[in-house]
Amino acid sequence: MNDAVLTLENFSVSYEKKEVLHEISTAIRPNRITAIIGPSGCGKSTLLKSINRMLEEEGGVSCKGSIFLNGQDIRKMPVEELRRRVGMVFQTPAPFPMSIYKNMTYAPQYYGVGKKQELDRIVRENLEITGLYEEVKEELGKSALKLSGGQQQRLCIARALTAQPEILLLDEPCSALDVKSTQIIEDLLVQLKQRYTIVIVTHNLFQARRIADDCIFLLNGQLWEQGNTRELFEAPSRQETRDYLAGVYA
Amino acid sequence: MKAKILLVKIWAVTACALTLGIIFFLFAYVFWNGAEAITWEFLTSAPKGLVIGTEGGILPAIVGSAWYTAIACGFGAVLGIATAVYQVFYCRSSRISSAISLVMQCMAGVPSIVMGLFGYSLLVLALGWGKCILAGGITQGIMILPFIQVRAEKALREVDPLLIRASYSLGVSRAYTIRKLVLGQCLPQLVSGVILGGCHAMGAAAPLIFTGAVIMSKVPKSVMKPAMALPYHLYMLLIQGTSSVNAYGTAFVMMLVVLVANTAATWFAWRRKK
């Protein structure tokens, strides 16, 4: 697959001596939503964290194989550059304990944007993308911690976008949210894929089915099956996938 | 079983009351006896008298102590906080981190008079500074370094790891994360740790005996000159046994400064929790 933005080749991860991901090979295509699904403990989050090397922040991890971002080996890239190009949103909303405005200018200031006008523009544009601007435009100086859970998560997505990434990784971004907020975020993700490539870990099969173009099914650290979401859900080719989709492992 | 619980309860309450009682008694006693020495003149003039300190005031000692403490805080804070930052954010090996902690614990256990001798042999003799405020301040700074480091490490480790990861995930460096996110979060605790360390330094005479403190000096004008210090002045007044009123007065001033600084530190840390 030449048009893949992200390619994994025989990628394995071990914690201490225990292997949690075994020789994963796959390709993630641009401007699509790829969902990583599978039962708890199958290595979904580990796989996601490998892509921006966040896994390295946890001690005792060793990796084998390679991951390529647009053909470049991510292990040969400076980690800061990789993480700028591959943004991440976490399971629990993680707004910084500062104002909404400062949350949004945190990364741009690091990348050298100093002009107030320019910063204002970045804040506005990215908040607009996530639909948060209209809700908070009067109170950008308010602490981000005072926002609702759903708003906080959208702020985190907007904040991730301020670094101008190519890929957005989301680790069960809706699992701490209510139905309404979940729906807003799902709509947002579908809209975002025009500009970004999205990889989302989810244990919610309905969610995967609703928003994902492609699915990767992991089981016991192995890539069990992958493909177009509709095909995978309607005609899984392996028995275990069928069992999982039918709720046997849940 | 019930009797046992009751016994533990009585024991705990008694111990608590006894501790508070001792502290209260100490403060009340010193304040009571020292109060008569406290006059405007006592606070603003130099010691006088045939035997130094029997007359006059303690201004040079107050200013000297402020100098020693400021240098100790500066030295201890820079090294202590930097060590803690290294341990929490940069050190990848748990062995190195444990080794640092071990060294800090050992340092915390070194008697202050030995710290004084160390400062004397290194700063006063080997570096040829002579007895001076800088040598005394740095010696005290080394003494409170582990004190500050332990508190700083604790404060840094309390920062939500999720926030730190969220910061890294934006592609910003560790240094930026520490400066913009972590230090902002921990500032009250770091400041309160340094103030408490400073109080500890202010009350310690032993590190200064060989490194900076003198019986009599003018209000210091340079850090390369020796200066009086409150605890050392107190010590001299007591061993001369000539003026117990002024000794109590000196102790009064010292304890008041420490009390105020401690309260400020507690308030500072508390404000963050709010």
Side-chain angles (χ1 to χ4, degrees), chain B residues 93-206:
Chain B
S93 147
S94 58
R95 266 193 219 164
I96 294 178
S97 188
S98 317
I100 294 173
S101 294
L102 183 70
V103 169
M104 286 293 162
Q105 278 164 22
C106 292
M107 268 177 81
V110 173
S112 52
I113 186 72
V114 177
M115 286 287 179
L117 286 170
F118 170 73
Y120 176 70
S121 48
L122 179 70
L123 305 173
V124 177
L125 294 184
L127 293 180
W129 292 359
K131 267 177 99 166
C132 63
I133 295 180
L134 193 62
I138 289 178
T139 307
Q140 284 188 322
I142 297 171
M143 183 181 78
I144 63 173
L145 167 63
F147 191 92
I148 293 173
Q149 181 270 340
V150 166
R151 278 157 185 76
E153 191 193 340
K154 183 167 174 284
L156 293 176
R157 287 204 195 279
E158 274 173 8
V159 177
D160 188 351
L162 182 65
L163 293 184
I164 293 166
R165 288 207 188 136
S167 173
Y168 291 166
S169 78
L170 291 166
V172 307
S173 65
R174 266 167 222 277
Y176 187 79
T177 304
I178 293 164
R179 191 157 53 85
K180 288 275 274 193
L181 182 68
V182 175
L183 290 186
Q185 282 244 288
C186 301
L187 193 68
Q189 284 146 296
L190 296 179
V191 170
S192 89
V194 172
I195 294 178
L196 291 175
C199 291
H200 184 38
M202 178 171 282

Side-chain angles (χ1 to χ4, degrees), chain B:
Chain B
M1 197 58 199
K2 253 190 174 167
K4 227 179 189 175
I5 294 171
L6 191 71
L7 212 67
V8 171
K9 221 174 180 177
I10 291 172
W11 174 50
V13 171
T14 317
C16 191
L18 206 64
T19 310
L20 289 177
I22 290 171
I23 293 169
F24 182 76
F25 174 75
L26 200 72
F27 271 83
Y29 190 77
V30 169
F31 281 18
W32 183 258
N33 286 293
E36 58 180 300
I38 305 296
T39 58
W40 185 245
E41 200 210 335
F42 183 71
L43 295 175
T44 56
S45 66
K48 294 185 203 104
L50 207 56
V51 179
I52 287 292
T54 47
E55 290 165 43
I58 54 168
L59 181 67
I62 295 176
V63 178
S65 266
W67 271 108
Y68 286 119
T69 309
I71 291 173
C73 284
F75 189 83
V78 169
L79 288 187
I81 294 173
T83 307
V85 165
Y86 173 75
Q87 272 187 291
V88 176
F89 291 97
Y90 290 95
C91 182
R92 289 296 178 93
S93 147
S94 58
R95 266 193 219 164
I96 294 178
S97 188
S98 317
I100 294 173
S101 294
L102 183 70
V103 169
M104 286 293 162
Q105 278 164 22
C106 292
M107 268 177 81
V110 173
S112 52
I113 186 72
V114 177
M115 286 287 179
L117 286 170
F118 170 73
Y120 176 70
S121 48
L122 179 70
L123 305 173
V124 177
L125 294 184
L127 293 180
W129 292 359
K131 267 177 99 166
C132 63
I133 295 180
L134 193 62
I138 289 178
T139 307
Q140 284 188 322
I142 297 171
M143 183 181 78
I144 63 173
L145 167 63
F147 191 92
I148 293 173
Q149 181 270 340
V150 166
R151 278 157 185 76
E153 191 193 340
K154 183 167 174 284
L156 293 176
R157 287 204 195 279
E158 274 173 8
V159 177
D160 188 351
L162 182 65
L163 293 184
I164 293 166
R165 288 207 188 136
S167 173
Y168 291 166
S169 78
L170 291 166
V172 307
S173 65
R174 266 167 222 277
Y176 187 79
T177 304
I178 293 164
R179 191 157 53 85
K180 288 275 274 193
L181 182 68
V182 175
L183 290 186
Q185 282 244 288
C186 301
L187 193 68
Q189 284 146 296
L190 296 179
V191 170
S192 89
V194 172
I195 294 178
L196 291 175
C199 291
H200 184 38
M202 178 171 282
L208 298 180
I209 296 176
F210 304 112
T211 54
V214 286
I215 295 173
M216 177 59 197
S217 77
K218 288 189 184 139
V219 171
K221 294 223 165 54
S222 154
V223 290
M224 297 316 285
K225 293 267 159 57
M228 294 178 68
L230 286 169
Y232 188 64
H233 185 61
L234 173 64
Y235 168 71
M236 292 314 297
L237 288 176
L238 281 177
I239 54 168
Q240 287 164 354
T242 43
S243 174
S244 63
V245 173
N246 278 359
Y248 278 121
T250 308
F252 180 107
V253 171
M254 215 162 82
M255 284 165 79
L256 195 69
V257 171
V258 170
L259 194 68
V260 168
N262 264 310
T263 313
T266 314
W267 176 75
F268 213 84
W270 170 80
R271 219 179 47 159
R272 172 209 145 94
K273 278 190 191 151
K274 216 172 55 165

Side-chain angles (χ1 to χ4, degrees), chain A residues 61-114:
Chain A
V61 181
S62 58
C63 306
K64 270 194 299 212
S66 327
I67 299 180
F68 297 97
L69 173 63
N70 287 323
Q72 253 185 303
D73 189 337
I74 62 164
R75 259 189 287 183
K76 294 191 178 127
M77 286 164 69
V79 71
E80 281 93 6
E81 188 199 329
L82 171 70
R83 289 177 186 161
R84 192 201 55 73
R85 293 171 61 183
V86 182
M88 188 173 217
V89 173
F90 299 81
Q91 187 169 3
T92 332
F96 298 141
M98 37 181 102
S99 70
I100 298 171
Y101 188 86
K102 282 191 177 160
N103 263 277
M104 294 297 291
T105 54
Y106 185 87
Q109 281 185 331
Y110 175 75
Y111 295 113
V113 181

